[in-house]
């Protein structure tokens, strides 16, 4: 069961419990609106944090790729000049960067997928808030 499904089920259970326990529908709607808005704020903050992490990793990934290309250019120039010690040094640096590149790619993909998982949760919270606001506007 996905995180979204669990959250939705928990919210539905809470709603069912509240419907059964309360006689004052207006107070219940108000309380649920406050709770949903609080949850929406938390989810938006988490989404913003995930997006920031995704952008940071994307930037690091790009910089690493550029570094690898730079080491290739330096290595090629050193080879043309017959400086094998520099060729070896640049290739070693490239090797380290290449290993780092795969780690960065994996971290970026993970952050990106986590960020995308938040979209349905946000959409569902907004839809629930709109529905309750509609109920409230229509005076129950």
């Amino acid at each position: 069961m996905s995180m979204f499904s669990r959250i939705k089920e928990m919210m539905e259970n809470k709603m069912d419990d509240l419907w059964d326990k309360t006689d004052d529908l207006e107070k219940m709607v108000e309380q649920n609106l406050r709770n949903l808005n609080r949850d929406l704020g938390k989810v938006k903050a988490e989404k913003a944090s995930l997006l920031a992490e995704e952008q940071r990793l994307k930037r690091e990934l790009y910089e690493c790729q550029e570094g690898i290309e730079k080491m290739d250019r330096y290595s090629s120039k050193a080879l043309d000049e017959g400086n094998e010690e520099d060729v070896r040094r640049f290739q070693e640096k490239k090797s380290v960067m290449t290993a780092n590149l795969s780690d960065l790619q994996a971290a970026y993909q993970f952050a990106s997928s986590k960020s995308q998982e938040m979209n349905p949760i946000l959409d569902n919270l907004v839809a629930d808030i709109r529905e309750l606001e509609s109920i409230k506007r229509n005076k129950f």
Side-chain angles (χ1 to χ4, degrees), residues 77-109:
K77 186 174 180 180
L79 187 61
D80 290 344
E81 294 172 355
N83 189 342
E84 297 204 14
E85 178 63 30
D86 283 349
V87 171
R88 184 187 56 75
R89 188 168 38 96
F90 293 136
Q91 288 299 315
E92 286 174 1
K93 286 182 181 181
K94 177 185 172 187
S95 178
V96 170
M97 289 178 181
T98 301
N100 190 33
L101 180 68
S102 61
D103 291 342
L104 285 170
Q105 287 171 327
Y108 174 73
Q109 289 298 324

Side-chain angles (χ1 to χ4, degrees), residues 5 22 44 52 79 106 130 133:
S5 299
T22 186
K44 281 183 176 181
L79 187 61
R130 285 184 181 149
E133 286 174 343

